[in-house]
């Protein structure tokens, strides 16, 4: 019965939203790129080995922002083609005068395009002191670099070459095969042929670069960075020296390429990309100087390397078939990075931090407009909006829950089967369930269906020995009724599967969801009597109590009581975020002063417990907690914190890296013109991007409207990398200048968005809109947040859901909090 249901589920998976006809499909590419940096253009030639499956006059592939002057085909027929580009459909149609009979052909094309400065396709990255060429193909921008079948199921072999200045180092997915000098101090670099892989994983980077190299488990590992930065790659190489063997062991399969490069891109690149064998990183996520880098940056570097390296198997070796299964890539890599951190740096307590990320996902997932993990993507343009908290964090949290349900060893066996069965190929979500079911003998597809194919998540209420589930709603709005097969674990040891709305608990007085491994909330009759066995349990209980309190489902005094009995530590993360949220909702009201007067003694007492001075080898989460306490106490008006921050700013050159961000935030918040000018000078002279980010954030923290306006103007100037500059608008909005920042962004929207890749453009205005808290603001958001020429409806709806939630909390929850807690004179109990 179970096996029959599994087969039926796999057979009813929606059809792929393929854009291209499959009358002709590619097998291999040979591409030569010729960039012209002096004129910001490039040209190229390519030969595609392809198979014509049925007679056709048209070969259709993808191309965008390219000119294709010539096309010729050789094989069973020989003919000159007539290339026509359809910009709307992003296709190139090569039409022939006579139908091509089925068979194997070689299609030869020439093409040329513009080297833009935004992170799309083949682009130029200009930064102080240098120029680099780089690629960013995900999700569907390979078509901007060269004509190709730009869909993930078309895995092909790629043989690349590039002509670059003689002093450039060129890097691609595979090692250099050979290179030869050319006229005018140029050279041609040819690379070895790749295994079959998707177009979005193609990488080509060149510039004045240097390398640091190691051999790890038989693989050549290199850090490739701009000249002068090699000394700051030691930590990244150390991380890879641990991560790569861990993944070899976990997957029981060696890394399949001869080398893996970690390539640092300066200039505010933002994020990282898992190109097979040639991973690109924002410099801030690759370089680490222990003298200037903070513990949180060290952890970010570790986590990013761990995430992108996991993709080399889960995403590159096995690739999703279409973008509706993006979560297979990103959710798994997010979860696996935490597994790697737990094994290699157990003292960092990564799963406590993961609960904070899970809360962020739940915030998005609880909204009326939430989408399922496995969402319908009708064209690649929609995929830009799919890189969100649900795809990454809900995906990771669900995988963690499934691992807990099946058991780590059985789960790992299923993952190994999945990799073995689909290596060098494509897969869908159902293929993963089939492998896990084969390994476990459990009805995995049936359990997983509700979590991946419907939006939202459940709240499990426990009353004595009775369990009840219903869909979480962040407001009083009734959402469509859903049920889930919930793998429920409980303390001390035990588990059950709740498959309907109601069920029986094995005993009374249980703590459900130990360590927060399950992606659901638990509502208890009284949180104050629930036993807590670990820090992870404490974080889970605290997160549920406060989230349900803000949804009007738990009395505020219970949520506060759980906080009061939780010692300052890693479990406090989400509560501090909630305090910031509540403070922002009180903005402009007299109750804000009452709220701050209530919360500030708790923050100051916690800071006294944690201490100002970093301790040797403390986990990054402790450093992060200290920083958040300093910043929030400063925001809430602590004179003690302000004075200490200004004192330490007086010797800013020797400021501890772990204290730099919060100290500068407090100084920036209370800055006068002279202090603001000093911060701007320090930002311009910063020794690293990490320092520059901290100084820029301090500029944006000012309470003073005049200084906030000056900071907004910096977003349009060239003082800082584009990604960093435009983020100043969001930071100003976050620091009590929401309307000012919004009006500025609306007035300068075209200029701001022009400094971003489309990947970031679609979310820029919607994310800025999330700071509004009144329903009256919804009209202006609907008018100014949608992006012309791109599909960002989902992001706009997300912003509107957030505004509605904010407005609902202000009307329905804050008055109860004020009456039952804030005016009761509760003293801190820490």
């Amino acid at each position: 019965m179970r096996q029959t249901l599994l087969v039926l589920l796999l057979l009813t998976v929606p059809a792929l939203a393929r854009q291209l006809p499959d009358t002709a499909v590619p097998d291999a590419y040979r591409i030569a790129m010729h960039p012209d940096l002096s004129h910001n253009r490039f040209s190229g030639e390519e030969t595609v080995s392809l198979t014509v499956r049925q007679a056709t006059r048209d070969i259709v592939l993808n191309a965008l922002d390219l000119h294709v002057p010539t096309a010729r085909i050789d094989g069973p027929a020989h003919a000159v083609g007539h290339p026509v580009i359809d910009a709307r459909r992003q296709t190139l149609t090569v039409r022939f005068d006579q139908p091509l009979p089925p068979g194997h052909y070689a299609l030869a094309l020439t093409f040329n395009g513009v080297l833009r400065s935004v992170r799309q396709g083949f682009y130029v990255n200009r930064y102080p002191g240098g120029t680099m060429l780089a690629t960013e193909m995900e999700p569907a921008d390979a078509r901007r670099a060269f004509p190709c079948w730009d869909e993930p199921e078309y895995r092909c072999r790629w043989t690349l070459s590039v002509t670059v200045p003689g002093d450039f180092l060129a890097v691609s997915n595979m090692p250099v095969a050979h290179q030869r000098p050319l006229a005018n101090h140029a050279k041609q670099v040819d690379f070895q042929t790749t295994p079959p892989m998707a177009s979005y994983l193609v990488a080509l980077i060149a510039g004045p670069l240097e390398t640091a190299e190691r051999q790890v488990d038989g693989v050549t590992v290199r850090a490739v960075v701009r000249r002068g930065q090699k000394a700051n790659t030691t930590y990244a190489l150390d991380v890879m020296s641990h991560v790569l063997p861990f993944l070899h062991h976990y997957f029981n399969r060696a890394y399949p390429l001869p080398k893996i490069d970690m390539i640092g891109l300066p200039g505010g690149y933002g994020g990282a990309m898992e190109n097979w064998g040639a991973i690109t990183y924002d410099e801030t996520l690759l370089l680490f100087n222990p003298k200037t880098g903070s513990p949180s940056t060290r952890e970010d570097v570790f986590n990013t390397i761990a995430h992108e390296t996991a993709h080399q198997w889960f995403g590159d070796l096995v690739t999703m078939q279409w973008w509706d299964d993006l979560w297979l890539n990103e959710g798994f890599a997010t979860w696996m990075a935490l597994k790697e951190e737990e094994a290699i740096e157990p003292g960092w307590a990564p799963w406590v931090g993961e609960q904070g990320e899970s809360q962020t996902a739940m915030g998005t997932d609880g909204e009326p407009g939430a989408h399922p993990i496995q969402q319908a993507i009708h064209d690649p343009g929609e995929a830009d909006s799919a890189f969100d908290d649900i795809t990454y964090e809900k995906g990771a949290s669900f995988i963690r829950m499934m691992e807990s349900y099946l058991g780590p060893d059985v789960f790992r066996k299923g993952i190994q089967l999945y990799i073995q069965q689909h290596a060098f190929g494509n897969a869908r979500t159902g293929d993963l369930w089939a492998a896990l079911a084969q390994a476990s003998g459990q009805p995995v597809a049936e359990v997983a269906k509700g979590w991946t194919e419907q939006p939202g998540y459940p709240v499990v209420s426990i009353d004595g020995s009775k369990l009840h589930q219903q869909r979480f709603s962040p407001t009083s709005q009734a959402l469509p009724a859903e049920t889930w097969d919930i793998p429920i674990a409980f303390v001390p040891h035990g588990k059950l599967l709740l498959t309907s709305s109601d069920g029986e608990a094995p005993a009374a007085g249980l703590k459900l969801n130990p360590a927060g491994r399950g992606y659901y909330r638990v509502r208890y009759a009284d949180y104050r009597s629930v036993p807590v066995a670990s820090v992870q349990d404490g974080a889970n209980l605290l997160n549920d109590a406060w989230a349900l309190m803000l949804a009007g489902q738990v009395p505020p005094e219970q949520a506060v009581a759980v906080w009061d009995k939780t010692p300052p530590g890693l479990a406090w993360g989400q509560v501090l975020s909630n305090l910031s949220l509540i403070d922002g909702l009180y903005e402009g009201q007299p109750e804000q002063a009452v709220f701050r007067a209530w919360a500030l003694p708790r923050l100051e007492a916690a800071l006294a417990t944690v201490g100002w001075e970093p301790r040797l080898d403390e986990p990054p989460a402790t450093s992060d907690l200290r920083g958040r306490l300093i910043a929030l106490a400063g925001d809430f008006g602590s004179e003690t914190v302000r004075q200490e921050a200004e004192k330490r700013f007086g010797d800013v050159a020797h400021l501890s890296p772990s204290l730099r961000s919060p100290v500068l935030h407090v100084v920036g918040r209370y800055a006068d013109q002279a202090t603001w000018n000093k911060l701007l000078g320090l930002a311009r002279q910063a020794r690293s991007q990490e320092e520059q980010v901290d100084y820029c954030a301090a500029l944006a923290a000012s309470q003073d409207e005049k200084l906030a306006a000056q900071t907004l103007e910096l977003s349009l100037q060239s003082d800082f990398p584009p990604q960093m500059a435009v983020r100043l608008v969001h930071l100003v909005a976050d620091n009590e200048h929401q309307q000012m920042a919004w009006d500025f962004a609306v007035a300068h929207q075209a200029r701001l968005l022009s400094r971003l890749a489309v990947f970031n453009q679609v979310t820029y205005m919607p994310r800025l809109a999330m700071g509004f808290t009144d329903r009256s603001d919804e009209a202006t958001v609907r008018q100014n947040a949608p992006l012309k020429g791109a599909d960002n409806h989902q992001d706009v709806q997300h912003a509107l859901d957030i505004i509605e939630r904010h407005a609902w909390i202000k009307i329905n929850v804050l008055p109860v909090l004020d009456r039952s807690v804030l005016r009761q004179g509760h003293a801190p109990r820490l």
Side-chain angles (χ1 to χ4, degrees):
M1 179 64 176
R2 295 293 195 186
Q3 292 177 340
T4 302
L5 286 172
L6 173 60
V7 170
L8 288 173
L9 282 168
L10 294 177
L11 290 175
T12 56
V13 170
L16 289 175
R18 181 188 291 116
Q19 304 293 295
L20 297 173
D22 60 358
T23 51
V25 296
D27 302 309
Y29 296 83
R30 185 173 292 273
I31 301 175
M33 302 291 290
H34 309 293
D36 180 355
L37 286 166
S38 61
H39 296 92
N40 288 331
R41 298 195 62 82
F42 65 89
S43 61
E45 312 93 36
E46 73 177 86
T47 300
V48 188
S49 300
L50 57 84
T51 300
V52 174
R53 293 175 169 175
Q54 60 188 66
T56 180
R57 291 180 58 195
D58 296 336
I59 293 179
V60 183
L61 58 161
N62 293 114
L64 180 63
D65 297 336
L66 295 175
H67 175 232
V68 181
T70 67
R72 179 177 178 82
I73 199 162
D74 292 292
H78 305 271
V80 173
H82 309 287
V84 178
I85 289 181
D86 184 330
R88 184 185 65 83
R89 295 178 60 231
Q90 302 183 11
T91 57
L92 164 67
T93 300
V94 182
R95 172 154 291 183
F96 298 93
D97 294 333
Q98 299 295 327
L100 302 173
H104 298 290
Y105 291 84
L107 174 67
L109 305 169
T110 60
F111 58 91
N112 54 70
V114 176
L115 279 174
R116 291 183 171 83
S117 58
V118 295
R119 181 165 57 98
Q120 287 177 291
F122 190 42
Y123 70 98
V124 61
N125 179 9
R126 303 187 190 277
Y127 56 92
T131 298
M132 288 176 61
L133 294 160
T135 51
E136 174 69 24
M137 307 302 200
E138 189 180 34
D141 285 326
R143 64 191 67 183
R144 298 177 186 269
F146 39 73
C148 61
W149 279 256
D150 199 14
E151 297 181 2
E153 74 166 309
Y154 293 111
R155 296 182 68 113
C156 297
R157 297 184 184 276
W158 302 78
T159 306
L160 303 179
S161 71
V162 64
T163 302
V164 294
D167 63 342
F168 273 25
L169 173 69
V171 181
S172 188
N173 305 88
M174 295 292 286
V176 172
H178 44 77
Q179 55 186 343
R180 62 186 179 89
L182 303 174
N184 300 319
H185 307 288
K187 65 181 177 183
Q188 178 179 313
V189 182
D190 302 325
F191 298 95
Q192 297 176 19
T193 301
T194 72
M197 70 180 196
S199 56
Y200 79 90
L201 297 171
V202 172
L204 185 59
I205 296 91
L209 304 170
E210 62 183 4
T211 66
E213 182 177 316
R214 289 186 192 175
Q215 292 295 313
V216 180
D217 264 16
V219 178
T220 299
V221 175
R222 296 192 304 176
V224 183
V225 294
R226 59 188 169 104
R227 290 172 189 159
Q229 293 297 321
K230 181 162 59 172
N232 295 325
T233 65
T234 300
Y235 180 67
L237 290 168
D238 288 344
V239 173
M240 186 62 84
S241 296
H242 290 94
V243 161
L244 203 57
F246 176 89
L247 292 170
H248 283 169
H249 176 70
Y250 188 88
F251 292 117
N252 194 29
R253 190 181 187 105
Y255 173 74
L257 304 186
K259 63 93 176 175
I260 183 167
D261 288 330
M262 300 181 288
I263 306 156
L265 300 181
Y269 159 76
M273 176 59 205
E274 67 267 20
N275 314 300
W276 211 2
I279 306 170
T280 48
Y281 297 82
D282 186 295
E283 272 191 351
T284 60
L285 297 172
L286 182 66
L287 302 178
F288 182 74
N289 183 338
K291 294 182 180 179
T292 61
S294 67
S296 61
T297 296
R298 184 172 72 243
E299 187 174 25
D300 286 344
V301 169
F302 183 103
N303 195 272
T304 306
I305 292 173
H307 179 109
E308 303 304 331
T309 309
H311 272 311
Q312 303 300 293
W313 284 263
F314 221 99
D316 297 0
L317 179 61
V318 180
T319 303
M320 68 203 163
Q321 199 160 356
W322 182 248
W323 297 105
D324 53 5
D325 282 318
L326 176 65
W327 86 277
L328 273 180
N329 282 14
E330 301 302 348
F332 184 89
T334 301
W335 169 81
M336 178 53 83
L338 292 161
K339 290 283 287 187
E340 296 165 63
E341 188 175 330
E342 178 186 39
I344 298 165
E345 297 284 0
W348 291 2
W351 295 114
V352 178
E354 187 273 340
Q355 287 197 46
E357 301 298 332
S358 181
Q359 300 308 301
T360 302
M362 284 180 158
T364 302
D365 200 23
E367 297 162 5
H371 66 79
I373 287 179
Q374 192 178 5
Q375 59 177 316
I377 301 294
H378 299 97
D379 64 70
E382 291 184 8
D384 285 324
S385 294
F387 292 81
D388 63 5
D389 296 328
I390 291 177
T391 296
Y392 283 75
E393 305 302 342
K394 180 179 180 179
S397 297
F398 171 63
I399 288 170
R400 186 187 186 203
M401 181 169 67
M402 289 301 291
E403 182 201 32
S404 178
Y405 170 60
L406 299 177
D409 293 339
V410 171
F411 184 84
R412 180 182 169 213
K413 181 181 177 183
I415 294 298
Q416 291 175 352
L417 278 171
Y418 171 81
I419 295 292
Q420 176 186 333
Q421 292 165 354
H422 302 285
F424 299 104
N426 297 84
R428 306 208 66 190
T429 293
D431 297 317
L432 177 60
W433 302 155
L436 291 171
Q438 182 180 344
S440 67
Q442 297 295 319
V444 176
E446 295 172 59
V447 174
K449 183 178 177 66
W451 300 96
T452 59
E453 297 182 17
Q454 66 190 29
Y457 64 91
V459 176
V460 176
S461 300
I462 179 168
D463 184 7
S465 62
K466 299 292 184 181
L467 299 177
H468 174 74
Q469 67 159 295
Q470 65 184 68
R471 182 176 175 179
F472 172 82
S473 174
T475 67
S476 56
Q477 178 180 352
L479 300 179
E482 308 279 7
T483 57
W484 290 259
D485 284 4
I486 309 175
I488 294 179
F490 48 87
V491 177
H493 300 291
K495 60 184 179 181
L496 56 87
L497 190 65
L498 182 62
T499 59
S500 61
S501 296
D502 298 290
E504 296 288 333
L510 296 175
K511 163 69 174 70
L512 302 189
N513 198 12
R517 294 188 185 94
Y519 188 77
Y520 56 90
R521 297 202 186 281
V522 182
R523 182 166 57 236
Y524 300 92
D526 190 340
Y527 284 81
R528 292 168 290 197
S529 61
V530 178
V532 174
S534 66
V535 172
Q536 291 188 52
D537 268 343
N540 171 244
L541 191 69
L542 202 52
N543 291 336
D544 284 356
W546 277 71
L548 292 170
M549 182 265 283
L550 290 175
Q553 299 179 36
V554 166
E557 56 269 25
Q558 286 196 28
V560 171
V562 176
W563 181 33
D564 279 345
K565 75 175 185 179
T566 305
L570 308 185
W572 273 41
Q574 190 60 29
V575 170
L576 297 183
S577 297
N578 287 328
L579 293 178
S580 295
L581 169 64
I582 293 169
D583 185 65
L585 297 179
Y586 273 131
E587 188 174 330
Q589 302 178 36
E591 290 83 0
Q592 185 179 46
V594 178
F595 173 71
R596 289 181 171 182
W598 170 82
L600 187 54
R602 289 169 163 77
L603 299 176
E604 290 178 326
L607 180 56
T609 300
V610 176
W612 274 80
E613 295 302 329
R615 297 175 178 84
L616 186 65
D617 295 329
E618 69 182 9
T622 299
S623 176
D624 180 65
L625 175 65
R626 177 185 297 109
R628 295 184 68 183
L629 288 169
I630 291 170
L632 197 56
D635 287 347
F636 284 14
S638 171
E639 275 300 316
T640 302
V641 166
R642 177 180 176 179
Q643 291 170 12
E644 183 65 23
E646 291 175 346
K647 173 186 171 184
R648 291 173 184 259
F649 182 62
D651 189 18
V652 67
H654 297 98
L655 187 60
S656 166
S658 64
L659 290 174
R660 185 175 56 236
S661 177
V663 164
L664 293 178
H665 172 84
V666 176
V667 169
R669 180 175 179 79
Y670 298 103
D672 56 16
Q673 185 69 61
T675 302
W676 190 91
N677 290 342
K678 182 178 179 180
L679 289 167
L680 178 59
L682 290 167
R684 288 170 170 158
Q685 301 162 14
R687 296 170 292 176
S688 68
Q689 283 194 40
E690 180 185 352
E691 287 187 345
Q692 194 170 66
V693 167
D694 289 340
Y695 287 122
C696 285
L699 291 168
S702 177
Q703 290 180 296
D704 187 294
E705 288 194 2
K706 176 185 173 184
L707 298 180
Q710 292 176 191
T711 304
L712 290 172
E713 290 296 330
L714 291 175
S715 68
L716 302 176
Q717 301 171 17
S718 58
D719 297 67
F720 309 112
Q723 296 265 7
M724 187 186 305
V726 297
R727 184 169 174 261
L728 289 171
V729 181
H730 285 233
L731 292 173
V732 169
D734 291 342
N735 287 284
E736 302 177 17
H737 299 292
Q738 172 66 29
Q739 190 64 55
M740 177 192 292
W742 177 261
D743 291 342
F744 180 89
V746 169
H748 301 283
Q749 186 172 356
R751 288 180 65 187
L752 291 168
L753 296 184
S754 71
R755 311 191 76 185
L756 297 168
V758 170
F759 188 89
N760 302 109
Q761 287 177 5
V762 295
T763 61
Y764 188 79
M765 294 299 290
R767 287 184 179 175
L768 183 59
M770 292 176 192
F772 285 119
T773 63
D774 292 312
R775 292 178 176 128
S776 60
D777 297 312
E778 292 181 6
T780 187
V781 172
R782 292 181 188 277
Q783 180 179 353
N784 295 293
L787 183 63
K788 294 179 180 178
D791 186 348
N792 71 334
H793 167 78
Q794 184 170 287
D795 299 288
V796 175
Q797 186 58 52
H798 178 35
L800 294 170
D801 286 342
I802 291 286
I803 295 169
E804 172 60 30
R805 177 172 175 257
H806 288 165
W808 188 88
I809 292 172
K810 286 172 68 172
I811 295 169
N812 296 279
V813 177
L814 295 193
V816 181
L817 177 68
D818 186 59
R819 290 193 306 271
S820 62
V821 174
L822 303 188
R823 299 187 185 275
Q824 299 305 309
H826 291 301
R829 297 187 294 276
L830 300 172

